Amino acid sequence: NAGVTQTPKFRILKIGQSMTLQCTQDMNHNYMYWYRQDPGMGLKLIYYSVGAGITDKGEVPNGYNVSRSTTEDFPLRLELAAPSQTSVYFCASSYSNGGYNEQFFGPGTRLTVL
Amino acid sequence: GENVEQHPSTLSVQEGDSAVIKCTYSDSASNYFPWYKQELGKRPQLIIDIRSNVGEKKDQRIAVTLNKTAKHFSLHITETQPEDSAVYFCAAVKAAGNKLTFGGGTRVLVKP
């Protein structure tokens, strides 16, 4: 299993540009998550999904959108990029049947907005 | 919502000494407390976790304790080694939401 994969690894955007960060997992996990990690800080939840077709906001959703059309994929869309969105973005997945189980993280996407 | 405070923000220890990191949480409904280790430029990786029906858990040189009444939990690393140098994050989860709330992190430096 590849686990959780993310593309791209690095990206530089200009202010006002848009992009999609890709995330795929091959563990048949029902839960998927997007976090951002600013330099020297902890991770903050942007959006999460409990299954295909279901998404919900986390702590810092403004400026982002997500969709979950399949179990495997959970892309994160940035519209009108701003310097405040410069961060490292981590996708994660977990399996839940009512309880809580470990979240597995992808390698991250380092985004710079200039 | 949940709020997790983590202390200290940096910790420098001599190789072989012990390191202790403390976290407090605000939501008494939280019932799962994982600890993640993040090396520079890498993804967070789970090193140990504890559920609310357990007071202490050990895994070799790492142990975690939980005090539900006081709403705090701690990570203990004994016989520290240079490869323990990393940033450590605590987190709290409510089973109903399955959402992790992270502490701010502790940068641990083990000096040889």
Side-chain angles (χ1 to χ4, degrees), chain B residues 5-99:
Chain B
E5 304 265 349
Q6 183 172 347
H7 299 280
S9 56
T10 59
L11 182 58
S12 182
V13 297
Q14 208 64 41
E15 182 178 357
D17 287 349
S18 294
V20 180
I21 304 170
K22 299 183 179 181
C23 288
T24 59
Y25 61 99
S26 61
D27 193 335
S28 55
S30 291
N31 56 8
Y32 176 75
F33 306 92
W35 286 87
Y36 284 84
K37 177 182 180 182
Q38 187 178 30
E39 296 175 350
L40 191 61
K42 300 285 181 65
R43 74 191 81 186
Q45 296 206 297
L46 182 74
I47 56 171
I48 195 166
D49 56 17
I50 190 166
R51 297 185 191 268
S52 60
N53 58 348
V54 175
E56 183 175 357
K57 183 176 178 181
K58 284 186 77 171
D59 183 3
Q60 298 182 8
R61 296 186 297 108
I62 293 173
V64 59
T65 58
L66 171 65
N67 183 327
K68 281 184 61 180
T69 304
K71 289 191 279 189
H72 67 69
F73 57 113
S74 301
L75 177 72
H76 303 253
I77 307 173
T78 58
E79 299 171 20
T80 53
Q81 299 168 5
E83 54 264 35
D84 295 328
S85 295
V87 179
Y88 292 81
F89 292 98
C90 63
V93 182
K94 285 190 291 189
N98 257 284
K99 294 183 287 183

Side-chain angles (χ1 to χ4, degrees), chain A:
Chain A
N1 287 353
V4 181
T5 57
Q6 293 181 237
T7 57
K9 287 192 171 82
F10 304 93
R11 184 74 186 268
I12 298 175
L13 282 182
K14 292 183 180 177
I15 294 171
Q17 286 185 320
S18 300
M19 77 165 292
T20 299
L21 282 67
Q22 302 291 346
C23 175
T24 300
Q25 55 92 10
D26 63 359
M27 297 175 282
N28 202 33
H29 286 168
N30 50 351
Y31 280 67
M32 294 187 75
Y33 313 81
W34 274 106
Y35 295 90
R36 60 176 286 172
Q37 184 177 31
D38 297 335
M41 305 290 284
L43 287 79
K44 293 191 184 296
L45 183 65
I46 305 171
Y47 270 96
Y48 69 105
S49 167
V50 304
I54 306 170
T55 63
D56 205 350
K57 295 178 181 178
E59 189 181 351
V60 290
N62 291 346
Y64 307 95
N65 275 301
V66 293
S67 59
R68 181 101 182 266
S69 56
T70 66
T71 299
E72 295 78 20
D73 300 305
F74 190 40
L76 177 72
R77 178 85 178 157
L78 278 73
E79 305 281 1
L80 298 174
S84 60
Q85 293 178 304
T86 294
S87 192
V88 179
Y89 292 83
F90 287 101
C91 178
S93 72
S94 68
Y95 176 75
S96 175
N97 58 358
Y100 180 82
N101 291 302
E102 178 184 356
Q103 288 189 18
F104 293 85
F105 285 82
T109 293
R110 186 174 297 273
L111 175 67
T112 302
V113 182
L114 300 173

